[in-house]
Every structure is written in structure tokens, then in C-alpha cells.
């Protein structure tokens, strides 16, 4: 998401990230708020208007990364490379 302050997040970009990294839309919105990328108002809008109405994220992309024991290690490795660790 770039780590910069933003006015809004789009469902399309969150679906793309979900499919690449295997992180739910809900978790991404929460992280964006924690990193102060989005305002409290936009965070609450996402939860009230989108996430609470679709808790299973039906129609919001698929997890492309297979659910395996090594999945978490692969994701941690990708995150570490992005952060330069």
C-alpha cells in the first residue's frame, strides 16, 4: 500500500494484495489504520459499510498461496526482503 497517508483504500487494490500475499482485506484495513495511513473515519467506514456486512469476504478474491505449514515462513521471508532484513 506504500506506507503513505491516504484519503482512501479501494476494494480492488486490497483484493490484489490479498491474492498476492494471502492477507485478508479486514487485516489490511486494520494495519492501514495502525500505521496511520488512513483516518479513523475511513477505518470505521470500511468496518461498518464493508467488513461487517461481508465477514467471510465473499467475492473479494481468493487466497492464491496454498495453506501449508511453510506458508507463514514464505510470507515472513517476502516481508523481510521488502523491509531489507
Amino acid at each position: 500500500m506504500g506506507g503513505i497517508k491516504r484519503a482512501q483504500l479501494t476494494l480492488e487494490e486490497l483484493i490484489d494484495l490479498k491474492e498476492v500475499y494471502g492477507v485478508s482485506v479486514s487485516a489490511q484495513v486494520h494495519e492501514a489504520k495502525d500505521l496511520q495511513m488512513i483516518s479513523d473515519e475511513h477505518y470505521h467506514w470500511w468496518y461498518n459499510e464493508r467488513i461487517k456486512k461481508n465477514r467471510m469476504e465473499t467475492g473479494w478474491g481468493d487466497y492464491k498461496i496454498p495453506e501449508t505449514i511453510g506458508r507463514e515462513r514464505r510470507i515472513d521471508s517476502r516481508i523481510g526482503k521488502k523491509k531489507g532484513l
Side-chain angles (χ1 to χ4, degrees):
M1 288 188 271
I4 58 172
K5 188 155 181 86
R6 308 189 35 188
Q8 65 180 7
L9 303 172
T10 66
L11 182 58
E12 293 77 17
E13 72 179 313
L14 298 177
I15 289 171
D16 286 346
L17 292 170
K18 175 182 180 175
E19 291 183 340
V20 171
Y21 296 106
V23 179
S24 72
V25 169
S26 175
Q28 292 177 69
V29 171
H30 187 74
E31 186 68 12
K33 181 191 178 296
D34 286 351
L35 295 172
Q36 298 178 350
M37 289 175 56
I38 58 172
S39 68
D40 288 341
E41 293 81 15
H42 191 57
Y43 170 81
H44 291 296
W45 177 86
W46 262 98
Y47 268 88
N48 293 329
E49 296 300 321
R50 296 282 191 139
I51 295 167
K52 284 183 181 178
K53 294 177 181 178
N54 189 6
R55 291 192 186 271
M56 298 303 294
E57 299 189 5
T58 303
W60 292 356
D62 298 309
Y63 291 106
K64 304 289 184 187
I65 300 172
E67 293 291 334
T68 64
I69 294 172
R71 176 178 177 261
E72 185 174 332
R73 278 182 265 145
R74 287 192 308 275
I75 291 172
D76 287 345
S77 173
R78 289 178 185 166
I79 291 169
K81 286 178 185 175
K82 294 240 182 230
K83 290 183 177 180
L85 301 174

